[in-house]
Amino acid sequence: MNYCGIDLHKDFSQIHLCDEELRESSTRLKNDETIIRGFFETLRGNCKVVVEATGNWYWLVDLLQSLNLDVSLANPL
């Protein structure tokens, strides 16, 4: 299982992954559905995701849920 936290910005998302062995990685992706989909398709069904609940969260959550990922929203405060 992978765990993913997404810091959602206007033009990009900062994505931090951690696996069960606590290996971590971080990447920045442009907020483009094709790019985001390509990144997460390899994690389909094997990732729990938390997205920062900002004013523009809806498109990203819809996209990740369409990939059958377990997605939650978190208040950044």
Side-chain angles (χ1 to χ4, degrees):
M1 179 64 63
N2 292 293
Y3 303 92
C4 176
I6 302 177
D7 185 10
L8 181 60
H9 295 268
K10 180 181 175 186
D11 297 319
F12 68 91
S13 292
Q14 187 69 36
I15 299 171
H16 189 81
L17 286 172
C18 182
D19 67 15
E20 291 176 334
E21 283 114 33
L22 301 179
R23 292 181 296 218
E24 299 180 43
S25 64
S26 187
T27 189
R28 181 179 286 193
L29 297 177
K30 182 178 178 185
N31 284 342
D32 175 272
E33 287 192 21
T34 303
I35 293 170
I36 301 281
R37 181 180 299 277
F39 180 84
F40 281 98
E41 279 184 335
T42 60
L43 302 173
R44 192 179 297 198
N46 190 27
C47 190
K48 293 184 183 243
V49 181
V50 176
V51 176
E52 178 184 15
T54 63
N56 63 336
W57 63 265
Y58 55 89
W59 72 269
L60 182 58
V61 170
D62 289 346
L63 174 64
L64 297 173
Q65 287 177 336
S66 77
L67 297 172
N68 296 319
L69 294 169
D70 182 2
V71 182
S72 299
L73 287 175
N75 185 329
L77 295 176

